[in-house]
Amino acid sequence: MLDEALRQIKRSESYSVTAVLTLRHLSHLTGAEYPYLRGIVQRQLDPYTEFSRPKREPGKVRLISSPNPVLMDIQRWLLTNIFERMSPHQASFAYQQGRSAVQCAERHLGATWLLKFDLHDFFHSISEREVYRILQAVGYNRLVAFEISRVCTRLPQQLARATWGRYAIIRSYNGSRPGFLPQGSPTSGAIANLAARALDDRLWEIAENHGLTYTRYADDLAFSALHRLDHATISRCVSDITQAIYQSHFQVHHKKTRIVPPGQRKLVLGLLVDGNRLRVPIPTRKRIEGHIRGVATFGLAAHVEHAAFSSLGGFVRHVDGLLRYARGVDRDWSAPLAERWEEILSAEGITALDRQQW
């Protein structure tokens, strides 16, 4: 027993991750109660709060699953001590310290051709089986890999019953449906990047074969060229990329596929890249200015209703995100607007705590 524990510790050290020997050991490391962890692994507990955020498309919302404070702390420990210590592909830019959307877009500066793809249901398409494989690959034993994968995933209510991970001794682990990565969990972004590593490898190779630059920011894929491309090459690229996505067990959101030829405006992650510096597009500037002017003129609640947002908190987060985004590209233009936005929210009685809780 002791020899096996020592071997496990050495395996973990060789991969630069923290050793977790049992679920009870994870309880000790994180300070969480063992019955609480056991309840999550058995799928008897579902400690998440659900809310929605508006997507870029009008009327569309994104479901967010926020862990309760105890599970949030556990997942943050797992992120710091395990998942952040594994390296995603160099083409990946989201959910990593020191990497940003601006850096991602900069890779495509001066593009003459731009190919854009979107992965449908990115987080929900990554199951606990993928998390289990990632953990096994860095030396965790089968049972611990299974238990940690359960702690990082949530049971989808809409899936049909399917079993996996049979355990003769721990029968209460048997018979559950496979969970998925919940968007809103601290670990989900890092795990998703690791789960997409095989996809990134395939797409990187395709890009190199065609002289393209490839980046992925979560579910947004971009390929650009600085040289001329003929239509036969474009068709072959689209076919190869689409096939690679399906081979990697992801799905293409076909309505969001874009092929942007020379002479047309080229946007990557909302930023213009068809010049020698990044620029915030005029429609985005007008949208930010319009939201701030609308709230200042008619009040927060009235403007949120007029703009057809589902919640006040979702709207405030939306404008906060736009301003952060613009500040990373054009600080001189965005700084006065950000200052005005803070003044308006303060006058509306919106506190920093309110924004954290939203």
Side-chain angles (χ1 to χ4, degrees):
M1 202 65 178
L2 180 58
D3 289 343
E4 174 55 31
L6 291 173
R7 282 194 293 271
Q8 175 63 61
I9 291 170
K10 287 183 179 179
R11 283 198 300 270
S12 299
E13 287 176 347
S14 71
Y15 289 103
S16 301
V17 297
T18 301
V20 179
L21 306 179
T22 63
L23 189 65
R24 196 172 292 279
H25 185 211
L26 180 61
S27 169
H28 172 73
L29 291 169
T30 61
E33 295 289 339
Y34 174 74
Y36 178 83
L37 284 170
R38 188 70 178 265
I40 293 173
V41 175
Q42 292 173 336
R43 299 301 193 197
Q44 294 174 348
L45 298 177
D46 183 39
Y48 291 88
T49 300
E50 289 187 351
F51 57 90
S52 61
R53 285 183 177 176
K55 290 186 176 182
R56 292 178 184 176
E57 308 100 304
K60 299 277 184 152
V61 296
R62 177 178 288 107
L63 179 65
I64 303 298
S65 300
S66 178
N68 73 11
V70 176
L71 181 56
M72 182 79 77
D73 287 343
I74 296 167
Q75 291 178 345
R76 283 174 176 159
W77 186 94
L78 292 169
L79 176 65
T80 301
N81 291 278
I82 298 177
F83 297 110
E84 279 187 338
R85 298 188 182 185
M86 303 183 218
S87 299
H89 196 278
Q90 61 182 307
S92 170
F93 283 83
Y95 313 114
Q96 301 169 64
Q97 289 187 357
R99 308 205 96 187
S100 68
V102 170
Q103 291 172 330
C104 183
E106 282 176 339
R107 297 273 291 145
H108 301 280
L109 277 175
T112 55
W113 281 89
L114 182 64
L115 285 67
K116 298 168 65 175
F117 299 81
D118 188 271
L119 302 178
H120 182 66
D121 242 357
F122 181 52
F123 285 98
H124 289 192
S125 64
I126 300 170
S127 78
E128 67 185 65
R129 292 187 181 96
E130 294 302 318
V131 188
Y132 171 81
R133 293 186 188 110
I134 290 167
L135 291 163
Q136 272 212 300
V138 292
Y140 291 101
N141 68 51
R142 291 178 64 247
L143 180 56
V144 169
F146 176 84
E147 289 170 330
I148 294 176
S149 73
R150 283 283 178 91
V151 174
C152 296
T153 56
R154 190 181 185 202
L155 191 66
Q157 302 300 316
Q158 72 273 22
L159 292 183
R161 191 172 186 81
T163 64
W164 80 287
R166 289 286 182 180
Y167 291 95
I169 297 175
I170 312 177
R171 296 186 181 278
S172 59
Y173 286 4
N174 295 336
S176 178
R177 291 164 286 181
F180 64 93
L181 288 184
Q183 190 164 3
S185 161
T187 50
S188 289
I191 292 173
N193 281 338
L194 296 168
R197 180 71 196 235
L199 170 66
D200 290 332
D201 284 336
R202 288 186 173 108
L203 296 180
W204 185 270
E205 183 177 358
I206 291 169
E208 285 199 323
N209 289 341
H210 293 286
L212 306 176
T213 295
Y214 162 62
T215 62
R216 180 178 59 79
Y217 193 88
D219 54 1
D220 287 314
L221 316 179
F223 299 80
S224 64
L226 300 177
H227 54 280
R228 296 179 64 87
L229 297 174
D230 57 47
H231 290 287
T233 301
I234 291 291
S235 296
R236 190 161 58 251
C237 286
V238 171
S239 176
D240 290 348
I241 291 165
T242 302
Q243 184 178 8
I245 291 171
Y246 285 116
Q247 286 175 342
S248 304
H249 308 293
F250 290 99
Q251 293 186 349
V252 180
H253 198 317
H254 290 287
K255 290 183 178 180
K256 293 187 176 181
T257 299
R258 298 287 184 271
I259 300 171
V260 189
Q264 291 191 14
R265 188 179 68 159
K266 294 173 181 65
L267 288 168
V268 174
L269 301 173
L271 298 174
L272 286 166
V273 299
D274 47 3
N276 57 11
R277 66 178 181 87
L278 296 179
R279 306 184 316 280
V280 178
I282 291 175
T284 303
R285 291 181 179 231
K286 288 183 176 179
R287 185 161 73 252
I288 295 171
E289 292 167 347
H291 282 320
I292 293 174
R293 184 169 57 251
V295 174
T297 304
F298 302 106
L300 184 60
H303 182 74
V304 167
E305 183 178 357
H306 173 75
F309 276 77
S310 60
S311 70
L312 188 146
F315 170 76
V316 171
R317 284 194 305 273
H318 177 71
V319 177
D320 283 345
L322 288 172
L323 285 169
R324 276 196 306 272
Y325 200 54
R327 189 162 55 245
V329 181
D330 190 341
R331 182 174 291 273
D332 291 341
W333 172 79
S334 63
L337 285 172
E339 185 177 344
R340 177 63 177 141
W341 176 238
E342 295 299 327
E343 292 172 354
I344 292 170
L345 291 184
S346 178
E348 289 276 348
I350 305 299
T351 67
L353 180 59
D354 291 332
R355 289 156 87 172
Q356 290 176 2
Q357 291 176 342
W358 290 334

